[in-house]
Amino acid sequence: MHRLIPTGDAARPVEFAQDAQPVPAPDEALIRVEAFAPNRGETFLLEKPRPGLLPGKDVAGLVVQAAADGSGPAAGTRVVGHPPEGGWAEYVAVPTHSLAVLPDEIGALQAAALPLAGITALRLLRTAGVLMGRRVLLTGASGGVGHYVTELAAAAGAEVTAVTATPERGARLQELGAVAVVQNVADAQGPFDVVLESTGGGGLPVALAKLAAAGTLIWFGQASRTSVTLDFFDFFAGPENAAIRHFHYAGAPYGHDLATLVRLVARGRLHPEIGRTAAWSQTAEVLVDLRERRIRGKAVLTIGGAR
């Protein structure tokens, strides 16, 4: 079979290679991949790839071999999955606890855009707690996670202010329920009960100062790739009893969260924002555009005739 492997070349970060078809563990199903979605964080891993890296965590396709232990969907079932790695290939073995069955109305393109970004959004909002009537500031909002967070938080009754690099990148967020979109965190009109911070660098201290008393800042990314410096004494001039929490989405099993995302999409309550679709022969070019923030929302690559 064919798979994409890292090259270490920033201008063309992946290339095709021949590889043996995966041999699933007893609790894994073998999936014929129809579509996959790279994440911006994966583009950073490709800059200096570790030996043996097989990228790819967001896939949708068809079960061609059910798990030997009897768990999970049967052969012939359409699924979305979140494997540990190896999804940028014609076939991938996925633990059955990290699969969800797809209804007929959800195509592989939509489904592939769900796993990492959607699971992150779900778990991030659970960490934030009850949002009804609360004011939420979301930085770095124009990526895949930001679109899901905005729509889900707004549906839960939050007043979401989103920070995006340009007005164009923020237009869709207002359609999804954001009450305001600004281009600089300093322009956000606080105070906010919850700050969801994903950029790091100089923006985090500014966002922290926007918190209401006893508010919470949840730090879930560092898209600027710049270190953060915080001055403890700034707390005396800012929100009293503020809390800072670190968040990372990872931790299998993922199947329940995937099934939740699928159900929300099927019921029209969640809308994957796909800014770019292309054949997987164009993956290298798409990865560069994703890394350089030239894609709004998710990018999805197709293998064969995915719909």
Side-chain angles (χ1 to χ4, degrees):
M1 70 167 192
H2 289 92
R3 76 159 62 251
L4 289 162
I5 61 170
T7 65
D9 180 354
R12 193 163 188 82
V14 292
E15 65 183 8
F16 282 102
Q18 287 280 353
D19 197 4
Q21 187 171 292
V23 177
D27 65 344
E28 293 179 332
L30 184 66
I31 310 301
R32 186 177 72 221
V33 179
E34 296 177 357
F36 63 85
N39 297 283
R40 190 162 180 261
E42 290 173 303
T43 70
F44 303 150
L45 297 178
L46 294 172
E47 292 177 1
K48 294 182 179 179
R50 60 171 172 80
L53 174 65
L54 298 177
K57 296 174 71 67
D58 292 2
V59 302
L62 188 73
V63 177
V64 294
Q65 181 180 324
D69 67 359
S71 64
T77 306
R78 297 176 58 250
V79 293
V80 57
H82 192 50
E85 64 175 2
W88 301 355
E90 292 179 291
Y91 294 89
V92 62
V94 184
T96 56
H97 59 58
S98 295
L99 290 171
V101 175
L102 292 175
D104 290 341
E105 62 266 31
I106 299 181
L109 289 174
Q110 278 187 306
L114 289 174
L116 190 148
I119 293 168
T120 298
L122 280 180
R123 295 183 175 185
L124 180 63
L125 292 175
R126 289 188 192 125
T127 300
V130 176
L131 294 176
M132 177 65 69
R134 303 184 80 191
R135 301 190 67 190
V136 175
L137 175 64
L138 173 64
T139 68
S142 60
V145 174
H147 283 85
Y148 289 137
V149 166
T150 298
E151 186 168 18
L152 291 171
E159 297 180 26
V160 180
T161 295
V163 184
T164 66
T166 66
E168 293 75 23
R169 290 178 69 87
R172 177 62 172 152
L173 296 170
Q174 289 187 296
E175 296 175 7
L176 294 174
V179 297
V181 176
V182 297
Q183 279 62 70
N184 191 310
V185 66
D187 295 329
Q189 298 299 306
F192 297 95
D193 303 295
V194 177
V195 171
L196 305 176
E197 215 295 306
S198 67
T199 58
L204 191 150
V206 178
L208 181 63
K210 301 283 183 178
L211 274 177
T216 300
L217 182 146
I218 304 174
W219 189 358
F220 71 100
Q222 193 151 307
S224 69
R225 309 184 74 186
T226 303
S227 297
V228 174
T229 300
L230 292 176
D231 186 338
F232 178 80
F233 292 101
D234 287 344
F235 280 90
F236 291 109
E240 293 184 357
N241 297 317
I244 299 176
R245 296 188 60 177
H246 174 257
F247 169 88
H248 182 47
Y249 90 100
Y254 299 107
H256 178 74
D257 284 342
L258 285 172
T260 298
L261 294 166
V262 167
R263 183 173 66 253
L264 290 170
V265 173
R267 294 178 180 177
R269 296 174 59 189
L270 188 67
H271 301 82
E273 184 69 14
I274 301 174
R276 179 82 57 85
T277 59
W280 75 320
S281 59
Q282 300 176 50
T283 302
E285 295 87 345
V286 171
L287 288 171
V288 172
D289 284 346
L290 188 63
R291 183 187 68 214
E292 301 303 321
R293 294 186 173 185
R294 292 193 283 262
I295 297 174
R296 184 184 68 187
K298 296 292 295 180
V300 179
L301 288 305
T302 61
I303 303 177
R307 64 179 176 89

